[in-house]
Amino acid sequence: MPVSPQVLQPSGWPAPKGYANGMAADGLIVVTGGVIGWDTAGRLADGFVAQVRQALENIVAILAEAGAKPEHLVRLTWYVVDMEEYLANLKALGQVYRDVFGAHYPAMALVQVVRLVEKAARVEIEATAVVPR
C-alpha cells in the first residue's frame, strides 16, 4: 500500500475534473460526521458558497485534531439541498475548495437531498482521511 493517499485512475479512462475516481491509502483512518457551515457559535454562514467554505474549514479543524491535513483526504461526500445552486456556483466553489484544501482532489460523491437536519443549512459534507503511520 502507498505511504500517502494514491489516486486510482484506470488506464484509458478520461481524467475526472475536481475529484478522483478512487483512492488507496494505508494508515490512521479519520472520519467526520456530516459537517455543515456553521461557526463555533453555531451560526450558519450566509449563502451557499459561504456555507461550503465554512464547512470545509470545519473539516480542516476536525482533521487537525487527529494530526491530519487536507492532503490526507481520501473521500468526501457532499449533500446539497439544491443541485442547481451547486451547479450555478461551480467557479466560486472551485476557488473556495482550493483556498481551503489546496489542489488535492479525493474521491467524491455529490447527492441532492430533500433537506438537512438544520433547516437553514444548504450543504453538509462527510470526510474520510488516512494519515500515514
Side-chain angles (χ1 to χ4, degrees), residues 1 3 12-13 23 25 28 39-40 49 51 54 62 65-66 79 84 86 90 100 102 112 114-115:
M1 290 300 287
V3 213
W13 283 28
M23 301 288 287
L28 172 70
D39 62 18
T40 56
V49 174
Q51 285 191 22
Q54 185 64 58
I62 295 166
E65 290 294 310
Y79 302 94
E84 296 307 318
Y86 175 87
L90 286 177
V100 179
Q112 180 174 309
V114 174
R115 67 160 278 195

Side-chain angles (χ1 to χ4, degrees), residues 47-66:
F48 181 71
V49 174
Q51 285 191 22
V52 168
R53 177 182 293 278
Q54 185 64 58
L56 297 178
E57 289 173 353
N58 292 345
I59 288 169
V60 169
I62 295 166
L63 294 177
E65 290 294 310

Side-chain angles (χ1 to χ4, degrees), residues 36 44 51 81 114-122:
I36 63 173
L44 280 167
Q51 285 191 22
V81 295
V114 174
R115 67 160 278 195
L116 299 167
V117 172
E118 294 296 327
K119 277 189 169 187
R122 309 294 305 153

Side-chain angles (χ1 to χ4, degrees), residues 62-116:
I62 295 166
L63 294 177
E65 290 294 310
K69 298 178 182 172
E71 61 261 28
H72 298 127
L73 288 165
V74 294
R75 182 168 183 78
L76 294 172
T77 303
W78 296 51
Y79 302 94
V80 298
V81 295
D82 185 347
M83 188 65 71
E84 296 307 318
E85 184 174 42
Y86 175 87
L87 294 171
N89 288 286
L90 286 177
K91 186 173 182 176
L93 291 171
Q95 187 60 55
V96 162
Y97 182 96
R98 288 185 301 279
D99 288 350
V100 179
F101 284 170
H104 174 70
Y105 304 101
M108 290 190 223
L110 175 67
V111 180
Q112 180 174 309
V113 295
V114 174
R115 67 160 278 195
L116 299 167

